[in-house]
């Protein structure tokens, strides 16, 4: 058996503890009369990096984090207990929990942010604030203002800390357009990996490796490697499950993806697109992707064309929604905006719809090694709302050359389920970052194919040779979708447990026992995972 995650993952503590708020009226002083105590408070709360930014700019954008933060795990635990007492169905219980979590976050933000917003509104009129935006997924605000306004905000008792709105980079992907179709080193191993026991899904080793890199007639090698076709043969392909990604967007007109977008009805007409797509960067009303990264990753999760010649996705029966947060870079505030929308998509009238949140979210992006301020509460909120949070482990860069403890945040969070990358021979990719995490946990939890991956790209075409943990992560997201169709009542904790303990253990000369900080619990095995919940 796999040991449970730390107590931070097990929903615990008291629900009522978050319902009491002490709102203290702020006092605003002129910057020129700041007391010694006030200066000390400002220094303790404000990042030194912001002072440097203000030395070069009159207005700077930064993030204000408030002290009152919701314990979403406790809220979810209480909601699950109530649902159990009421003897409602598992589906109704999940929705009740999600709605309770979202409402608790919103209520806390509205109450504790009120005095801060009153000050900011005044300063908008005075010219001290250019713009600001409130967030509830983390009780915080993004503010663009003068240094004087920042200093005054720091003196407010509601404010915990003020940090830069950091720029974040999309995980670098190496694309080898000359890459040849993947071939196993050992035919015997390939036979084991691709054997299909169901009569209507049998194939030989030779058939599992496509001969034509442009229009393969069978499932991609990586899809066969994790035994997804055997699961489809059982009638399980992700139907009824919604997968999302936070990425560069998705080309919704792509033949492998169009009919799977939730924004289209059965007749192929666009209906309420704002509930199935959010562009936190440019505000595009329909899904689009100029970069290609998001289209490629979504294809690996759910893609397939209508005639069966391009089986690129793990869960081709699932539907998808998406958030564009990279173009190709992003900031913390944009990521918070996108992560919040996923928790409760917003309609044209501004009404939030937690019932339309996805079941799974793929995150093929990350920061550097070490701990991060913002995404742990985001990931906690997703988990509490029963949204499975898959993160790619990250790739080596000049600033993070890999090795022990290099796994990127937010993948290194205890609440994130991280995926590393392997090649066709089940060897860990040289670029795949390693654990342990800063929290002392094995990372990544799992591995999946991430070398020479062929999937959908903008222009309605397909492209192989993509390398990165960005390519590995969507396999895990797709597997979660298969499992949720097989057993919809599975919680996020149960999904993690099933995926980990049914994986094929992987070791090498560096990692001689399993689990380890290279491969985690091993290569995901869709057939074993689904069989375990069906049985």
């Amino acid at each position: 058996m796999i040991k449970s995650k730390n107590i931070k993952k097990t929903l615990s503590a008291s629900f009522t503890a978050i319902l009491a708020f002490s709102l203290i009226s702020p006092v605003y002083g002129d910057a020129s009369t700041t007391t010694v105590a006030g200066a000390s408070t400002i220094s303790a709360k404000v990042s030194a990096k912001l002072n440097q930014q203000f030395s070069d700019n009159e207005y700077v954008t930064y993030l204000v984090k408030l002290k009152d933060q919701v314990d979403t795990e406790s809220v979810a635990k209480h909601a699950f207990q109530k649902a159990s007492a009421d003897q409602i169905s598992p589906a109704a219980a999940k929705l009740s929990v999600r709605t309770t979590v979202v409402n608790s976050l919103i209520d806390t933000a509205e109450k504790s942010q009120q005095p801060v917003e009153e000050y900011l509104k005044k300063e908008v009129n005075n010219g001290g604030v250019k713009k600001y935006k409130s967030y509830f997924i983390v009780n915080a605000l993004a503010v663009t203002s003068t240094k004087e306004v920042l200093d005054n905000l720091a003196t407010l008792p509601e404010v915990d800390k003020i940090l830069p709105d950091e720029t974040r980079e999309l995980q670098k992907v190496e694309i080898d357009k000359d890459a040849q179709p993947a071939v196993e080193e050992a035919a015997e191993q390939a036979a084991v990996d691709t054997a299909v026991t169901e009569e209507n899904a049998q194939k030989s080793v030779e058939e599992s490796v496509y001969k034509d890199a442009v229009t393969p007639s069978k499932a991609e090698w990586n899809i066969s490697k994790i035994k997804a076709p055997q699961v489809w043969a059982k009638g399980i392909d992700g139907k009824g499950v919604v997968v999302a990604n936070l990425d560069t967007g998705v080309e919704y007109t792509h033949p492998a993806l169009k009919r799977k977008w939730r924004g289209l009805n059965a007749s192929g007409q666009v209906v309420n697109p704002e509930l199935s797509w959010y562009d936190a960067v440019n505000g595009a009303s329909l899904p689009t992707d100029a970069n290609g990264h998001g289209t490629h990753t979504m294809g690996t999760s759910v893609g397939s064309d209508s005639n069966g010649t391009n089986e690129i996705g793990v869960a081709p029966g699932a539907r998808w929604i998406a958030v564009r947060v990279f173009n190709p870079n992003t900031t913390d505030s944009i990521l918070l905006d996108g992560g919040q929308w996923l928790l409760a998509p917003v309609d044209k009238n501004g009404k939030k719809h937690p019932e339309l949140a996805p079941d799974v979210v793929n995150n093929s992006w990350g920061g550097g090694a070490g701990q991060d301020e913002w995404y742990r509460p985001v990931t906690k909120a997703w988990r509490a709302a029963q949204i499975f949070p898959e993160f790619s482990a990250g790739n080596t860069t000049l600033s993070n050359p890999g090795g022990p403890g290099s796994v990127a945040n937010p993948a290194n969070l205890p609440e994130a389920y991280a995926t590393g990358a392997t090649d066709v021979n089940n060897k860990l990719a040289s670029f795949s970052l390693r654990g342990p995490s800063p929290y002392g946990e094995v990372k990544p939890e799992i591995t999946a194919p991430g070398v020479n991956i062929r999937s959908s790209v903008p222009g309605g075409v397909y492209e192989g040779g993509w390398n990165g943990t960005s390519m590995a992560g969507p396999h895990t997201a797709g597997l979660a979708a298969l499992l949720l169709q097989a057993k919809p009542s599975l919680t996020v904790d149960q999904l993690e447990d099933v995926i980990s303990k049914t994986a094929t253990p992987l070791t090498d000369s560096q990692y001689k026992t399993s689990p380890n900080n290279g491969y985690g619990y091993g290569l995901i095995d869709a057939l074993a995972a689904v069989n375990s919940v069906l049985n």
Side-chain angles (χ1 to χ4, degrees):
M1 289 296 292
I2 294 173
K3 294 181 180 180
S4 297
K5 290 266 187 177
N6 296 339
I7 191 118
K8 32 122 179 87
K9 268 193 178 179
T10 60
L11 305 171
S12 60
S14 168
F15 172 66
T16 57
I18 65 164
L19 298 180
F21 302 95
S22 177
L23 298 180
I24 303 173
S25 298
V27 177
Y28 310 110
D30 186 272
S32 62
T33 61
T34 301
T35 65
V36 173
S40 176
T41 299
I42 293 170
S43 176
K45 291 184 179 181
V46 178
S47 166
K49 187 174 182 178
L50 281 172
N51 293 323
Q52 179 60 43
Q53 291 180 2
F54 272 109
S55 68
D56 301 324
N57 303 278
E58 181 181 3
Y59 293 90
V60 171
T61 300
Y62 51 88
L63 290 164
V64 181
K65 189 174 184 179
L66 276 67
K67 291 179 180 177
D68 283 331
Q69 296 291 326
V70 176
D71 184 348
T72 50
E73 297 158 316
S74 295
V75 175
K77 179 184 179 181
H78 178 88
F80 267 122
Q81 290 172 341
K82 185 178 185 303
S84 177
D86 293 342
Q87 296 183 334
I88 61 177
S89 69
K94 279 190 175 183
L95 178 56
S96 176
V97 169
R98 182 176 297 166
T99 302
T100 301
V101 168
V102 171
N103 288 341
S104 180
L105 288 165
I106 292 173
D107 289 345
T108 300
E110 288 180 348
K111 292 176 181 178
S112 59
Q113 291 181 20
Q114 182 179 354
V116 180
E117 287 207 64
E118 288 177 356
Y119 172 60
L120 292 174
K121 288 176 183 177
K122 184 185 74 172
E123 286 302 322
V124 168
N125 294 329
N126 294 339
V129 174
K130 279 193 172 182
K131 61 180 180 178
Y132 71 90
K133 185 165 185 174
S134 168
Y135 302 103
F136 66 80
I137 193 166
V138 178
N139 190 7
L141 301 97
V143 181
T144 303
S145 80
T146 62
K147 179 68 162 56
E148 180 180 349
V149 170
L150 177 145
D151 289 343
N152 284 333
L153 286 172
T155 65
L156 303 186
E158 295 84 5
V159 172
D160 181 37
K161 57 186 68 176
I162 302 178
L163 301 168
D165 189 19
E166 299 280 11
T167 297
R168 304 293 176 180
E169 304 288 337
L170 191 66
Q171 284 185 356
K172 186 179 180 182
V173 173
E174 297 292 343
I175 305 175
D176 182 3
K177 294 186 178 181
D178 296 325
Q180 297 299 311
V183 179
E184 297 276 3
E185 281 185 352
E188 294 82 5
Q189 183 61 47
V192 171
D193 289 339
T194 61
V196 180
T197 56
E198 286 71 22
E199 181 177 351
N200 64 342
Q202 289 181 351
K203 57 167 63 73
S204 67
V205 176
E206 291 75 21
E207 289 174 325
S208 73
V209 180
Y210 60 84
K211 301 298 188 295
D212 185 341
V214 179
T215 56
S217 59
K218 299 293 181 182
E220 295 295 322
W221 75 267
N222 46 300
I223 304 302
S224 295
K225 167 72 75 172
I226 66 167
K227 304 177 186 174
Q230 290 97 311
V231 177
W232 307 338
K234 293 176 176 288
I236 296 172
D237 61 2
K239 185 178 181 180
V241 181
V242 178
V243 177
N245 70 6
L246 283 172
D247 216 300
T248 62
V250 176
E251 182 181 77
Y252 87 98
T253 57
H254 196 288
L257 297 170
K258 182 175 182 179
R259 69 193 186 283
K260 304 166 193 289
W261 181 41
R262 194 178 65 183
L264 296 181
N265 63 16
S267 301
Q269 299 171 318
V270 176
V271 179
N272 299 324
E274 72 281 356
L275 293 173
S276 297
W277 158 257
Y278 181 54
D279 187 347
V281 180
N282 297 326
S285 59
L286 292 173
T288 184
D289 179 16
N291 178 280
H293 189 275
T295 302
H296 197 280
T297 59
M298 187 61 80
T300 301
S301 288
V302 305
S304 66
D305 60 18
S306 57
N307 61 15
T309 59
N310 288 283
E311 296 289 355
I312 59 172
V314 176
R319 307 203 79 184
W320 64 268
I321 64 175
V323 179
R324 176 155 68 177
V325 289
F326 287 93
N327 194 36
N329 302 329
T330 192
T331 62
D332 287 333
S333 60
I334 291 174
L335 285 166
L336 287 177
D337 195 20
Q340 178 172 286
W341 181 91
L342 274 179
L343 196 61
V346 183
D347 65 22
K348 292 180 180 178
N349 298 317
K351 182 180 178 181
K352 299 175 179 65
H353 291 268
E355 74 278 8
L356 294 178
D359 303 293
V360 181
V361 56
N362 178 70
N363 298 273
S364 287
W365 56 272
Q371 298 181 349
D372 183 272
E373 182 71 32
W374 297 107
Y375 305 114
R376 189 168 191 186
V378 170
T379 310
K380 282 184 175 182
W382 285 346
R383 291 185 70 93
Q386 293 307 299
I387 301 170
F388 182 80
E390 190 285 323
F391 282 85
S392 295
N395 308 329
T396 56
T397 63
L398 290 176
S399 60
N400 187 357
S406 60
V407 61
N409 61 63
N412 64 18
L413 291 172
E415 294 78 18
Y417 196 69
T419 305
T422 49
D423 63 15
V424 68
N425 299 303
N426 295 345
K427 300 300 182 184
L428 190 66
S430 59
F431 54 76
S432 190
L433 297 182
R434 325 290 177 95
S437 78
Y439 305 90
E441 294 187 321
V442 169
K443 286 284 180 174
E445 280 86 353
I446 211 75
T447 49
V451 178
N452 192 11
I453 304 302
R454 181 178 180 274
S455 187
S456 46
V457 293
V461 296
Y462 301 84
E463 188 172 87
W466 285 51
N467 305 316
T469 57
S470 285
M471 285 56 262
H475 292 80
T476 305
L479 174 52
L482 296 177
L483 287 166
L484 285 169
Q485 182 191 353
K487 190 173 183 180
S489 64
L490 289 172
T491 65
V492 171
D493 286 345
Q494 290 169 338
L495 283 168
E496 289 191 352
D497 188 58
V498 168
I499 295 172
S500 294
K501 75 181 182 183
T502 59
T504 302
L506 295 178
T507 58
D508 58 25
S509 59
Q510 181 178 357
Y511 302 106
K512 297 181 179 180
T513 61
S514 183
N516 55 64
N517 286 304
Y519 301 92
Y521 285 88
L523 183 73
I524 60 172
D525 185 326
L527 182 61
V530 169
N531 280 342
S532 74
V533 301
L534 291 179
N535 294 335

